[in-house]
Amino acid sequence: MWQIIGAGAIGCLWAANLLRIGEKVQLITRRPCAVNVLQYQDLLKQSFTFPVSTSLSLCSSSSPILVCVKATQVIQAITTHQVSIDPQQPIILMHNGMGCAQQVATLLPDNPIICATTANASLLHSPLNIEQTGKGVTYLGAYNNQGKLFQSLLLPLNSALANTCWCEDVNEKLWLKLIINMAINPLTAIYQIKNGQLKNASFQPLINNLVDESLAVAKAEGIIFEKEEILAIIEQVITLTAENFSSMNRDIFYRRHTENEFIAGYLLKAGAFKQIHTPTIRYFYQQIKALEQASVANK
Ligand code: KPL
């Protein structure tokens, strides 16, 4: 059985695809959920419904826990369920941004921790009703030594959603996603545009500066990327997700907390530690923070 914390777009996407291959799934939600059927539309526009059980608390102390909440909610989710988590239970963290795994490892020092990043995209239309809007690679890798013993979890996850891979160095993949999110999310959130609109020439100098600064921080952390390759990947993500709104765009639109602290905030802290100048990242970090504060104040 899989226990998935978070019934958002990504949690439901994994739940639906694990149910599709016959795995047992329990969705752990923050509030009671009146629905017990998961509606899923795949990329071929085929519709499926799966009976699914939801619960406010974890009910198995042996099955893997897939945490699919936003970076902003990971610590709260782990703290809420901490007493029911067995030290042997593997925890898979799947969210944008970086910095949560260290905190989770402090709370659960004995648990196997696995970090994951996915390029699959999905849209939550209503509770437990999702549409897959994009497909891509999912990378998983051990955060700690205990996590290295759970590579076998890859098998069902890859059967559920193809192109799920195990990496010896998942940190590099997390950094790559961090840089992609840094280049796309704040701009699309501030200007309230779809990802595809970033193709406009006026955004290129900003994207270029964000990438330069992010790469400098990554390099100081020992992660080396080729700038041209990263720019090409970002362009490809923008093209593949042209019709989508980024997650930060939606968070600002719906006046929710964004993952700013775990994307720009993480890069700023890492940069400051290594004395790297990051003025463009700082500018966008502050812009998003101001938008968040204004929207929470007016809510
Ligand atoms: O991960 C994303 C997000 O929206 O958070 C990208 C890659 C930018 C796709 O929209």
Side-chain angles (χ1 to χ4, degrees):
M1 165 151 78
W2 291 82
Q3 297 185 94
I4 302 182
I5 302 184
I10 293 296
C12 286
L13 182 67
W14 281 101
N17 283 286
L18 284 163
L19 288 163
R20 189 178 52 78
I21 59 158
E23 293 279 318
K24 283 203 177 110
V25 172
Q26 177 132 46
L27 275 170
I28 316 297
T29 56
R30 242 187 323 171
R31 281 181 282 273
C33 183
V35 190
N36 55 8
V37 171
L38 179 53
Q39 285 176 269
Y40 169 51
Q41 191 184 79
D42 71 7
L43 284 168
L44 300 170
K45 303 274 176 218
Q46 304 181 101
S47 296
F48 302 87
T49 52
F50 302 102
V52 66
S53 86
T54 63
S55 167
L56 297 179
S57 51
L58 293 169
C59 10
S60 155
S61 58
S62 57
S63 51
I65 301 172
L66 179 55
V67 183
C68 292
V69 295
K70 289 255 168 88
T72 46
Q73 297 158 4
V74 170
I75 295 310
Q76 172 73 58
I78 295 292
T79 319
T80 304
H81 300 291
Q82 195 168 3
V83 288
S84 331
I85 300 177
D86 186 90
Q88 310 281 320
Q89 265 181 301
I91 317 276
I92 306 177
L93 302 173
M94 192 179 289
H95 55 76
N96 279 338
M98 286 178 73
C100 292
Q102 289 93 315
Q103 296 180 50
V104 173
T106 310
L107 289 168
L108 302 171
D110 297 319
N111 284 79
I113 299 175
I114 292 165
C115 289
T117 173
T118 187
N120 288 304
S122 149
L123 202 61
L124 183 74
H125 291 301
S126 57
L128 306 196
N129 177 2
I130 53 151
E131 176 189 346
Q132 187 168 0
T133 51
K135 67 171 178 179
V137 185
T138 300
Y139 293 105
L140 302 168
Y143 174 75
N144 55 11
N145 281 335
Q146 302 91 300
K148 289 182 187 159
L149 305 173
F150 284 86
Q151 192 173 343
S152 56
L153 294 177
L154 178 66
L155 208 66
L157 291 174
N158 187 46
S159 306
L161 278 164
N163 288 319
T164 301
C165 318
W166 183 268
C167 317
E168 288 312 318
D169 186 9
V170 74
N171 206 30
E172 190 189 307
K173 305 296 180 195
L174 299 177
W175 268 92
L176 174 61
K177 184 72 190 289
L178 183 72
I179 298 172
I180 295 171
N181 284 141
M182 188 64 240
I184 297 178
N185 293 20
L187 281 168
T188 52
I190 291 163
Y191 295 101
Q192 281 299 298
I193 51 174
K194 286 184 174 178
N195 292 354
Q197 290 172 268
L198 288 181
K199 283 189 184 175
N200 192 302
S202 63
F203 290 118
Q204 301 326 302
L206 289 171
I207 293 178
N208 192 65
N209 290 350
L210 288 168
V211 168
D212 272 340
E213 292 172 20
S214 303
L215 290 183
V217 180
K219 188 172 173 195
E221 295 276 331
I223 313 276
I224 317 279
F225 293 115
E226 282 293 325
K227 182 178 173 187
E228 292 318 311
E229 205 179 311
I230 296 293
L231 285 174
I233 293 173
I234 292 170
E235 202 185 312
Q236 192 188 20
V237 173
I238 290 174
T239 305
L240 290 174
T241 62
E243 283 309 309
N244 295 3
F245 288 111
S246 76
S247 53
M248 196 176 276
N249 171 303
R250 291 298 84 184
D251 287 338
I252 290 294
F253 184 81
Y254 290 115
R255 299 178 172 198
R256 297 187 296 234
H257 279 292
T258 72
E259 292 174 309
N260 196 30
E261 286 301 335
F262 298 85
I263 299 174
Y266 184 86
L267 284 162
L268 281 184
K269 270 188 225 134
F273 192 67
K274 302 277 181 179
Q275 295 181 332
I276 293 170
H277 195 48
T278 49
T280 322
I281 296 177
R282 181 168 303 281
Y283 173 78
F284 283 106
Y285 169 79
Q286 285 166 345
Q287 292 285 308
I288 294 292
K289 210 175 157 108
L291 280 174
E292 265 180 340
Q293 279 163 355
S295 70
V296 170
N298 291 326
K299 215 169 175 178

